[in-house]
Amino acid sequence: MSIIKKEIRRIIRAKKKEIDSSKRDVLSESLLDILKNNPLYQISKNIFIFWSMDDEIDTRKFIVDNAHAKNFYLPAIVGENELELRLFKGMDDLKPGMEFNILEPVGKKLDDLALVDLAIIPGIAFDRERGRMGRGRGFYDRILKSLSNDCKKIGICYSLQIVDHVPMDEHDVYMDLIITDAEVI
C-alpha cells in the first residue's frame, strides 16, 4: 500500500471522527434524498447497496424504508477477500458478519450479477475524476469488475471525503457518479 493512500486514509478518518452523530444523521438524510431523486436510482430495480459502518453515510434506514420498492442486494464477505451479494428481505434476515461485524443477509447468493443495474458504493475518499479509494482490501473493486458494463456505479460520501487526487491502481474502479451531502460529481 502506498504511503500516499495511507496518509489519505488517516486524514479522512480523523475528519470523519469530528462529525457528531446528529450531524451525521442530517448529512446522511440529505445525501440519500439526492440519491432517491436521481434518475439512475429511480429507473433501477436491482440495486447493490451497502449496510453502513458507523463512520459511513448511514444507509440502514434508507434500505429498510425503501425495500418495498427496490430489490436491495447487500454484500456478504465470504472467504478471506470476496464479496457475494444477497437480497435484503428484512431485519430478521440479517446477522453480524465474520469480518467487520456488519449486518449481512443470510439468504441465497445472487448468482447472476448481470441483474444488478445500479451499485451504490462507499469509499474512504473520492476525487473529481470519480476515482475511488476504499479501505485497502479490494473487496468492492473485485465485485464491481464482475458486474455488467451497463451497471452504473455511484459513490456516496460526505463532502469532506472529496480530495484533490485519489491514486488509482490498475485494479481500482472509477465511479460513474459521486453524490455527497453537498454536490453531485
Side-chain angles (χ1 to χ4, degrees), residues 5 9 130-134 136 138 140-142 144-145 166-175:
K5 285 186 175 185
R9 286 185 179 101
R130 300 188 183 120
R132 173 192 169 271
M133 183 172 62
Y140 281 92
D141 290 314
R142 277 190 294 283
L144 288 172
K145 287 185 177 182
V166 169
M168 297 289 286
D169 297 322
E170 65 183 43
H171 64 273
D172 293 331
V173 176
Y174 284 86
M175 300 291 101

Side-chain angles (χ1 to χ4, degrees), residues 51-70:
W51 193 264
S52 56
M53 296 174 74
D54 288 339
D55 66 341
E56 296 172 325
I57 293 294
D58 191 348
T59 60
R60 297 169 285 205
K61 183 179 182 321
F62 179 83
I63 292 167
V64 171
D65 290 350
N66 293 285
H68 66 282
K70 304 286 183 182

Side-chain angles (χ1 to χ4, degrees), residues 76-84 97-100 104 136-140 142:
I77 297 174
V78 292
E80 278 190 38
N81 286 316
E82 296 301 319
L83 291 181
E84 62 183 35
M98 301 294 257
E99 185 76 23
F100 297 105
E104 299 176 349
R137 304 259 310 266
F139 287 110
Y140 281 92
R142 277 190 294 283

Side-chain angles (χ1 to χ4, degrees), residues 6-184:
K6 274 187 179 177
E7 185 64 11
I8 291 171
R9 286 185 179 101
R10 185 191 65 74
I11 291 167
I12 298 298
R13 266 195 301 271
K15 285 182 177 183
K16 289 196 313 187
K17 283 182 182 176
E18 294 175 8
I19 305 172
D20 68 40
S21 63
S22 61
K23 183 166 184 170
R24 188 179 313 275
D25 291 344
V26 169
L27 295 174
S28 293
E29 188 173 330
S30 170
L31 184 150
L32 293 167
D33 281 345
I34 294 168
L35 173 66
K36 193 171 181 179
N37 290 309
N38 185 283
L40 291 174
Y41 175 83
Q42 291 178 345
I43 64 170
S44 296
K45 181 67 179 158
N46 297 300
I47 299 172
F48 167 19
I49 190 170
F50 61 100
W51 193 264
S52 56
M53 296 174 74
D54 288 339
D55 66 341
E56 296 172 325
I57 293 294
D58 191 348
T59 60
R60 297 169 285 205
K61 183 179 182 321
F62 179 83
I63 292 167
V64 171
D65 290 350
N66 293 285
H68 66 282
K70 304 286 183 182
N71 293 323
F72 287 130
Y73 291 92
L74 304 180
I77 297 174
V78 292
E80 278 190 38
N81 286 316
E82 296 301 319
L83 291 181
E84 62 183 35
L85 302 183
R86 298 178 187 158
L87 181 64
F88 172 79
K89 294 180 183 173
M91 292 300 297
D92 294 340
D93 190 43
L94 299 176
K95 68 170 181 60
M98 301 294 257
E99 185 76 23
F100 297 105
N101 207 31
I102 301 169
L103 293 180
E104 299 176 349
V106 294
K108 183 178 170 290
K109 168 187 171 186
L110 175 65
D111 290 319
D112 186 4
L113 293 177
L115 290 176
V116 177
D117 35 30
L118 180 65
I120 300 168
I121 306 300
I124 293 293
F126 295 88
D127 65 24
R128 297 197 174 280
E129 285 72 47
R130 300 188 183 120
R132 173 192 169 271
M133 183 172 62
R135 294 182 185 267
R137 304 259 310 266
F139 287 110
Y140 281 92
D141 290 314
R142 277 190 294 283
I143 198 158
L144 288 172
K145 287 185 177 182
S146 300
L147 299 176
S148 158
N149 289 335
D150 294 331
C151 178
K152 298 300 181 189
K153 296 169 270 319
I154 298 178
I156 63 172
C157 66
Y158 300 108
S159 56
L160 61 82
Q161 293 174 259
I162 301 297
V163 298
D164 290 337
H165 176 70
V166 169
M168 297 289 286
D169 297 322
E170 65 183 43
H171 64 273
D172 293 331
V173 176
Y174 284 86
M175 300 291 101
D176 295 300
L177 195 68
I178 298 168
I179 299 176
T180 78
D181 52 275
E183 65 181 322
V184 176

